[in-house]
Each structure stands twice: as C-alpha cells, then as structure tokens.
Amino acid sequence: MNNNEFKKRGMLVVISGFSGAGKGTLMKKLMEQYDNYSLSISATTRDPRPGEVEGKDYFFVDKDRFMEMIKNDELLEYANYVGNYYGTPKAYVEAEMNKGKDVILEIEIQGALKIKAKYPDSVLIFITPPSAEELKARLIHRGTETEEIINKRLQRAAQEAVGVEGYDYILINDNLDKTTKHLNYLIQDQHRRVPQQIHFIEQLQKELRTVL
Ligand code: 5GP
C-alpha cells in the first residue's frame, strides 16, 4: 500500500492580496505551469475591463441576477468590494474538489475569512508587493482604473492590511517566477499535513498491528 492509493479530495486554496499585488498574473502563471489546480471563476456586478472575457475572467451579471444567486444559495461566499458584488459559485468548486483538484479562489479578505470559517482545512495565502510605494506604482502603471478608483483601492488596501493576521501565509511577490514556484510548493506542502493524510495513517496503523 502507498498513500497514493487513497483518492484525496482536493483542497481549497484562498489567495488574496491588495489590488495591484500581481495576483492575476501570478494565477495565470500557476495555471499554465501546473495542471493539478482548478481556478474558480467568480460572479461579479462590476463592468468588464477591456480585454476581460465573460466566463473566463468573471461571470459578469447584473445586480438582480446576483441577488438571485444569493437567494438560491448558489454562492459559497460573497462580498461587496468598492461598490460592486463579487461571489464564488458553489457547484464548480465542489465538483472540482471531488475530482481531487485543489481549487484556487482568488478573493478579497471578507470572503476569505468566511471560507476559513466554513472550511477550516482551507489554506489562506496573502500576496503582497514589497512596499506600499510599489503597490501604488503598479496600480498606476496598470492604467485600467481612474485616479478616483485607484485612491479607493489604496484606501481599501490600508483597511485590508489590518486583517492579514487571519491568513495562514504571506508571500511577497517581488519576482513572478520565484513567487509562482513558492506558491506551488506551499500548496503541495499542505497535503503533507497530518489531517490531510488521515486515511493513509489509519491504514498504516492497521497494517502495523498485523505485521507484528
Ligand atoms: P477586481 O475588480 O480587481 O477584479 O477584483 C476586486 C477584488 O475582488 C479583488 O480583491 C478580488 O480578489 C476580489 N474578488 C474577486 N472575486 C471574488 C469573489 O468571488 N468573492 C470575493 N469575496 N472577492 C472576490
């Protein structure tokens, strides 16, 4: 027997970080380089940015549809972020975890903490740039938001910095390739935690009793 014989349910991995921390690029790279992850696609009431694709970046819905999703219990969690709703559709996440995939949720802090309360085995990772100056520079450089929205997002970042204590890990994103590798190691290491290996350990205990 080896522990690969136990078909494991996938894990929930929550990735958060300040707007402009480079999470989007990091997620893209992680999905390109490793095939053991499924990325959850959120529903949002925010307008698409140029280049964003329906069903790939987000499911873009109006407020009525979003409210209906809440009412029908279609969302694992949802939150309001700078005036728009964002939520994680439940069905996809459950199906992928049952297939043994680790499901990545790229969500903000209120949603992350709700997930941790519902799924204590989930792992919460916070991605941050090396400094506040770097964060502002990245937001301006991205050029997708107005100055007003950039300022609101920076204000929100200051509030969120207070909630980071609720996360399990912090990754400083100072180099995309390096951070992608670290993120993969970090997630894979979670599978070695004892509660994740409980069926293997039970079987091993049984076998040890019989080899005596
Ligand atoms: P953006 O508008 O930049 O795409 O996303 C704004 C914030 O909403 C980001 O911090 C992003 O992680 C978060 N977000 C995206 N989808 C979800 C979701 O389904 N639930 C929650 N709680 N936050 C989300």
Side-chain angles (χ1 to χ4, degrees):
M1 181 207 56
N2 67 54
N3 71 348
N4 290 329
E5 286 169 30
F6 293 97
K7 178 80 185 133
K8 294 189 208 90
R9 191 170 135 89
M11 258 183 348
L12 262 185
V13 181
V14 176
I15 307 281
S16 304
F18 308 126
S19 182
K23 281 168 298 166
T25 327
L26 189 60
M27 291 308 100
K28 205 166 155 248
K29 193 109 185 156
L30 187 78
M31 302 308 290
E32 272 167 18
Q33 294 194 345
Y34 307 95
D35 59 10
N36 41 324
Y37 301 119
S38 294
L39 186 63
S40 159
I41 297 165
S42 299
T44 182
T45 59
R46 138 160 113 54
D47 288 335
R49 292 188 187 124
E52 283 185 332
V53 178
E54 162 70 17
K56 189 165 170 278
D57 296 288
Y58 279 107
F59 297 107
F60 295 99
V61 299
D62 62 17
K63 201 168 162 211
D64 286 349
R65 172 67 189 124
F66 200 94
M67 292 303 136
E68 190 182 270
M69 290 173 101
I70 296 174
K71 206 171 120 225
N72 296 344
D73 198 24
E74 291 174 53
L75 300 175
L76 267 191
E77 62 71 39
Y78 68 92
N80 193 295
Y81 180 92
V82 192
N84 285 302
Y85 286 98
Y86 296 80
T88 306
K90 196 190 275 183
Y92 176 80
V93 172
E94 286 289 338
E96 292 301 295
M97 282 171 77
N98 286 337
K99 282 186 212 160
K101 292 272 192 174
D102 293 333
V103 182
I104 314 260
L105 310 183
E106 196 241 284
I107 64 179
E108 55 65 70
I109 200 158
Q110 304 167 68
L113 300 176
K114 284 185 209 159
I115 292 288
K116 190 72 176 178
K118 256 192 196 173
Y119 297 85
D121 284 347
S122 59
V123 56
L124 268 52
I125 304 170
F126 198 88
I127 312 284
T128 170
S131 69
E133 273 307 309
E134 173 75 20
L135 180 66
K136 188 171 181 183
R138 286 191 199 176
L139 272 175
I140 292 168
H141 180 74
R142 184 160 81 182
T144 50
E145 267 88 16
T146 62
E147 198 181 328
E148 191 197 340
I149 295 284
I150 289 174
N151 285 334
K152 279 192 182 157
R153 284 181 176 237
L154 283 171
Q155 277 167 23
R156 178 72 178 226
Q159 290 164 7
E160 288 194 332
V162 178
V164 178
E165 286 88 346
Y167 282 69
D168 298 306
Y169 297 95
I170 292 179
L171 268 187
I172 297 173
N173 183 17
D174 49 3
N175 172 295
L176 184 60
D177 286 329
K178 196 182 87 189
T179 311
T180 309
K181 271 196 201 124
H182 281 174
L183 183 57
N184 177 54
Y185 290 145
L186 189 53
I187 300 170
Q188 292 315 309
D189 271 352
Q190 303 309 308
H191 286 291
R192 296 188 187 95
R193 285 163 64 195
V194 169
Q196 298 282 334
Q197 304 272 3
I198 203 70
H199 297 302
F200 170 68
I201 290 158
E202 281 166 4
Q203 181 66 28
L204 193 63
Q205 286 168 343
K206 223 190 269 168
E207 287 181 7
L208 279 169
R209 283 195 292 270
T210 60
V211 291
L212 280 177

